[in-house]
Amino acid sequence: DEVENTDNRFIKIKCWLMHTGENYNKSDFSHEVIEKAIPTLSYIPVVGFIEDNKLGEKDFSDHRYIITKDDGKVRRKYMGSAYGVILSSEDNNAHFETKICNDGIEREFIVANGIMWNFLEDSSEIINRDIIKDHSIELDEDSIEGYEDEESGVFHFTKFSFRAACILGGDAQ
């Protein structure tokens, strides 16, 4: 959401990681559950998958996984790369802020500071070109606890750990 470039090795970023309440994918995160997960933000990678968008420009794309089968076990393999990192708990300034989203609804978000590496030119050129990028959070699947509300079909998280912050492109839905 905010970009600063005072050291030519890095781009400083501020990430609006996730919001409280119900998400588009019918999952729900309370303020308290997100707050308990804040310590797991330290040093998670900022990841993405870069390819040409529908305008023919290099852009971040989507969560990019391929499904593989190893020794009879189905496995999801992430195809993107790390382009930066959320800073340590001492430096990431993780806190909650509210903002009005594109749909006009005000939501409470957990935000944190990170850096992107300029050494990886495609990613830094995209960030400097667009300034603001959507993204999605990756959760550690082994850490997830919660329950599904049978009536609404909404999954309510009661525990989770952060795994990565995934940068999305303009074509991602």
Side-chain angles (χ1 to χ4, degrees):
D1 186 54
E2 295 178 9
V3 174
E4 181 185 329
N5 198 0
T6 56
D7 180 330
N8 67 356
R9 298 174 300 154
F10 312 109
I11 299 171
K12 292 182 181 181
I13 57 173
K14 176 181 177 181
C15 296
W16 296 74
L17 296 164
M18 64 188 306
H19 65 78
T20 60
E22 189 173 332
N23 290 274
Y24 295 122
N25 64 1
K26 293 204 144 287
S27 62
D28 180 86
F29 296 89
S30 71
H31 179 104
E32 295 76 22
V33 168
I34 295 171
E35 194 167 45
K36 282 191 251 174
I38 287 175
T40 68
L41 278 172
S42 292
Y43 302 114
I44 64 168
V46 176
V47 299
F49 185 84
I50 295 176
E51 64 185 348
D52 288 348
N53 63 19
K54 62 185 171 189
L55 301 174
E57 301 173 318
K58 285 203 179 298
D59 197 2
F60 289 99
S61 183
D62 54 11
H63 295 274
R64 188 60 57 101
Y65 286 89
I66 60 170
I67 307 298
T68 60
K69 203 170 196 180
D70 295 326
D71 296 325
K73 291 185 179 182
V74 176
R75 187 174 151 234
R76 287 180 358 137
K77 181 179 179 184
Y78 185 68
M79 298 306 296
S81 298
Y83 295 102
V85 66
I86 299 298
L87 300 172
S88 71
S89 58
E90 293 81 28
D91 297 320
N92 69 25
N93 191 29
H95 64 282
F96 288 89
E97 290 185 24
T98 59
K99 77 172 186 173
I100 297 176
C101 298
N102 292 341
D103 60 6
I105 297 174
E106 184 177 75
R107 292 185 175 91
E108 180 184 44
F109 283 80
I110 182 70
V111 298
N113 296 329
I115 58 167
M116 291 188 63
W117 305 301
N118 281 328
F119 178 75
L120 303 166
E121 292 176 10
D122 285 346
S123 62
S124 59
E125 286 173 9
I126 294 166
I127 294 299
N128 284 315
R129 176 191 73 204
D130 296 347
I131 306 297
I132 297 173
K133 298 302 291 180
D134 288 336
H135 73 277
S136 182
I137 203 71
E138 299 270 353
L139 304 178
D140 177 2
E141 293 176 10
D142 294 333
S143 72
I144 294 173
E145 294 179 13
Y147 63 93
E148 184 175 348
D149 181 317
E150 303 260 339
E151 200 171 299
S152 67
V154 173
F155 184 83
H156 297 272
F157 284 84
T158 57
K159 183 180 178 187
F160 72 92
S161 294
F162 290 101
R163 182 173 178 222
C166 180
I167 305 169
L168 302 174
D171 293 348
Q173 296 183 356

